[in-house]
């Protein structure tokens, strides 16, 4: 079978990574969580107590650190940071760190390098528009803000206030959608799936039927 690239973009909490991971398992191809890379850099910056607006230092650090994946786990300078990158603090600062052009350039180069010569599903914000513009399949997953906040709430084992969670998600989406460099937007040729009233299995079924139809 020839190599295929599948791009999945959309706002926070639309179900991208859950779906991408499952789809990758079912069709036996690799999965890359690009958000985890921006989160790992943000975690690193916060650990150093660097201001998230300090572009110069952030770029210096981004050029220095080593981000790697092994069995879908993410390693920052050789240390597994799967759990550390999922805190609310990282979520609330990641959009600031990922808006810088040079940061994105470094991440996109690495993402393309990983995709080169093999089949891969990538989820993120700019996969269909920038990272893999020639991807065979592009999906844009969306859902209402209420549903997205509810899903996040159920994932987190923290005592979060759902209204606060909703505000945080809306803020992050706004920053991701309005940044100057590769903002979150649907690629012209992406298929939109509104997952608000769909189960994971239904979303998967929809995507698989589109992929199978054209294979
Ligand atoms: O996918 P996830 O919600 O973990 O992404 C965290 C953040 O990383 C996003 O809100 C966005 O700021 C940034 N991101 C990005 N481009 C991507 C993936 C994620 O800017 N391809």
């Amino acid at each position: 079978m020839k190599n295929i690239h599948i791009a999945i973009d959309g706002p926070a909490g639309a179900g991208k990574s859950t779906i991408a991971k499952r789809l990758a398992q079912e069709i036996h191809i690799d999965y890359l969580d690009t958000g985890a890379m921006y989160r790992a850099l943000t975690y690193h910056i916060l650990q150093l107590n660097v201001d998230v607006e300090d572009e110069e230092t952030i770029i210096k650090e981004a050029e220095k650190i080593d981000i790697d994946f092994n069995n879908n786990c993410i390693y920052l300078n050789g240390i597994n940071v799967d759990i550390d990158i999922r805190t609310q603090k990282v979520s609330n600062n990641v959009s600031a760190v990922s808006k810088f052009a040079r940061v994105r350039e470094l991440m996109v180069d690495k993402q393309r390098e990983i995709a080169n010569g093999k089949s891969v599903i990538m989820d993120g914000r700019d996969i269909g528009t920038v990272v893999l513009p020639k991807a065979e399949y592009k999906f844009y997953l969306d859902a209402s803000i209420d549903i997205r906040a509810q899903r996040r709430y159920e994932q987190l084992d923290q005592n979060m206030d759902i209204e606060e969670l909703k505000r945080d998600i809306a803020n992050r989406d706004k920053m991701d959608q309005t940044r100057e460099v590769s903002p979150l937007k649907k690629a012209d040729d992406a298929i939109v799936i509104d997952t608000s009233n769909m189960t994971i299995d239904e979303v998967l079924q929809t995507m698989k039927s589109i992929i199978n139809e054209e294979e």
Side-chain angles (χ1 to χ4, degrees):
M1 196 176 94
K2 70 174 174 56
N3 288 329
I4 61 165
H5 290 158
I6 302 177
I8 305 181
D9 292 301
K16 300 182 303 292
S17 54
T18 308
I19 299 292
K21 228 178 274 171
R22 280 270 307 269
L23 184 62
Q25 271 168 4
E26 292 188 18
I27 65 174
H28 309 290
I29 69 177
D30 285 357
Y31 163 58
L32 181 69
D33 176 356
T34 65
M37 297 170 65
Y38 292 95
R39 284 174 178 273
L41 172 62
T42 305
Y43 169 69
H44 176 74
I45 293 300
L46 293 172
Q47 285 290 97
L48 296 178
N49 277 322
V50 170
D51 189 309
V52 292
E53 295 300 330
D54 182 350
E55 181 171 5
E56 203 184 316
T57 311
I58 291 174
I59 290 170
K60 251 189 226 145
E61 291 300 322
E63 283 172 343
K64 240 174 23 194
I65 59 169
D66 177 45
I67 293 176
D68 223 342
F69 288 89
N70 196 349
N71 275 333
N72 283 344
C73 293
I74 184 158
Y75 291 80
L76 170 67
N77 295 331
I79 295 168
N80 183 317
V81 289
D82 273 327
I83 299 192
D84 311 85
I85 63 168
R86 303 283 162 202
T87 63
Q88 204 54 25
K89 189 169 178 202
V90 171
S91 296
N92 290 344
N93 287 285
V94 63
S95 295
V97 172
S98 43
K99 69 176 180 287
F100 299 120
R102 177 66 184 144
V103 165
R104 305 204 64 81
E105 199 177 85
L106 289 164
M107 298 294 176
V108 170
D109 281 354
K110 175 124 193 137
Q111 290 154 11
R112 288 190 182 140
E113 202 182 290
I114 292 172
N116 191 23
K118 67 175 183 194
S119 292
V120 67
I121 300 180
M122 269 192 211
D123 81 317
R125 302 293 186 289
D126 59 344
I127 311 303
T129 50
V130 176
V131 183
L132 302 173
K134 293 190 181 145
E136 280 76 5
Y137 302 99
K138 295 183 187 178
F139 296 98
Y140 188 91
L141 299 192
D142 210 345
S144 72
I145 181 86
D146 287 328
I147 298 270
R148 292 189 286 122
Q150 183 63 35
R151 286 180 187 156
R152 269 292 143 89
Y153 183 75
E154 286 162 13
Q155 271 172 1
L156 298 168
D157 62 8
Q158 301 166 357
N159 281 333
M160 282 288 297
D161 170 36
I162 189 131
E163 288 306 316
E164 190 183 332
L165 206 53
K166 216 186 282 181
R167 274 195 302 275
D168 289 348
I169 290 178
N171 274 342
R172 185 142 68 95
D173 286 347
K174 188 159 181 226
M175 284 185 77
D176 291 342
Q177 283 161 343
T178 56
R179 69 177 170 230
E180 272 172 40
V181 193
S182 47
L184 163 66
K185 65 169 188 227
K186 180 188 107 52
D188 291 339
D189 50 352
I191 295 168
V192 180
I193 304 177
D194 186 330
T195 69
S196 301
N197 299 308
M198 292 171 86
T199 63
I200 294 171
D201 283 334
E202 284 168 344
V203 180
L204 276 171
Q205 224 23 67
T206 306
M207 291 168 86
K208 273 164 63 179
S209 64
I210 292 167
I211 294 168
N212 288 334
E213 227 168 63
E214 295 178 29
E215 278 302 288

